[in-house]
Amino acid sequence: MIQLINPATRQPLENKEGFFADTAGNRFPLVRGVVRIVTESNYTDSFGFQWNKFQKTQIDRESKTLSLSKERFFAQTGWENEDLAGKNVLEVGSGAGRFSQIVLDHTKANLYSVDYSDAVTANYKNNGHHGDRFHLFQASVYEMPFPDNSFDKVFCFGVLQHTPDFKQSVKALIDKAKPGGEVAVDFYPVKGWWTKVHSKYIFRPLTRRMPHEKLLKRIERNAGWLMKLYSFFDKIGIGKIVNRFLPIVDIRGTLPPGLSKQELKEWVILDTFDMFSPEHDHPQKISTVKKWFEEFGMQVTFADYIIYGNNFSAATVKGIKQ
Ligand SMILES: C[S@@+](CC[C@H](N)C(=O)[O-])C[C@H]1O[C@@H](n2cnc3c(N)ncnc32)[C@H](O)[C@@H]1O
């Protein structure tokens, strides 16, 4: 077991049934099954809204055909399920818990997951039944309730670009790994000057300020014809050039094959909301993240694109803490 601490004072926390407290009397309540290290709303509110609306959409277990999260988790980490048995694994930015589900259903690891938003409520509904092996906290990567040098494995997928200070987030993850422990991250990559020549970065200054409900309604209303236009441009061979200017997620490049028509539309709406609503979206160069890993005492074992699920790729950096 990892000794929980109050991240502000570093004092140990004790389970008092219904809340956790340190010796000075600072309390952290258990709300809807989750220990809340932060309670106030913050810059991740769009994610709390999104993951509670689309609680089950991306969870492999909820689908007969889907295994994308499983393929991605094991391809990107390179970890074997047998090796994780009994290990303490930290997941940062767990969202609705698509990767929490993989660790809990397919390994015997003890999983500690944090997310800064109320997405933890959705994750608890999806994975709370795992009981003692699953420890879930609403907390920021910068103020996690664990001592440094605690975890055998740390992973953080789809999160770093959405934090205000990418480099400090990388440091915060590495701080929590044990010497000899492994850290794996993925993120939106900067591929060149054209990365930000994209509908996402053109419309975001407007869309990230819109009330979440209003933005979602607008996306729901327009998803149908935008999907048709996207397929049409693909069919006539100009999709690779023009589809990046359509205000819709990259269907071919990011969404799994084999979804029913209705599932596909749900994924499109979710991922389009996910691209337009977050407060922060700061892609990074793989070489820069590799350099930061080294600066924070990691031996880098991988810094490149990992291919998973046939033709998807994810910019990934991995290393071992020295
Ligand atoms: C795009 S979602 C990815 C969720 C999940 N990893 C997945 O792949 O489905 C990004 C998540 O990062 C969380 N997040 C953003 N900033 C964070 C921070 N400072 N600390 C912890 N989580 C954070 C958001 O609340 C959100 O749930």
Side-chain angles (χ1 to χ4, degrees), residues 91-198:
E91 173 188 29
V92 176
S94 52
R98 64 188 291 187
F99 299 113
S100 314
Q101 186 245 308
I102 302 307
V103 175
L104 292 164
D105 283 359
H106 298 280
T107 83
K108 294 198 168 69
N110 303 309
L111 180 64
Y112 293 75
S113 294
V114 309
D115 196 287
Y116 198 19
S117 74
D118 189 46
V120 288
T121 295
N123 192 345
Y124 187 76
K125 287 182 187 158
N126 284 325
N127 296 301
H129 61 277
H130 280 279
D132 284 355
R133 279 178 52 223
F134 187 36
H135 311 265
L136 184 55
F137 305 86
Q138 186 179 0
S140 172
V141 65
Y142 308 115
E143 288 172 306
M144 293 190 275
F146 321 113
D148 289 349
N149 302 310
S150 295
F151 289 91
D152 301 293
K153 312 272 182 194
V154 177
F155 72 96
C156 180
F157 291 162
V159 177
L160 288 169
Q161 64 275 355
H162 295 305
T163 64
D165 187 335
F166 199 126
K167 184 175 180 183
Q168 281 311 308
S169 306
V170 169
K171 180 177 186 306
L173 295 172
I174 293 172
D175 282 347
K176 298 302 167 200
K178 281 178 177 171
E182 284 183 80
V183 180
V185 305
D186 75 9
F187 49 91
Y188 297 165
V190 172
K191 294 182 175 167
W193 59 265
W194 61 91
T195 297
K196 289 205 166 179
V197 185
H198 190 284

Side-chain angles (χ1 to χ4, degrees), residues 59-64 66 101 105 126-127 129-130:
I59 307 293
D60 280 4
R61 193 205 297 123
E62 297 298 327
S63 156
K64 285 196 182 74
L66 203 61
Q101 186 245 308
D105 283 359
N126 284 325
N127 296 301
H129 61 277
H130 280 279

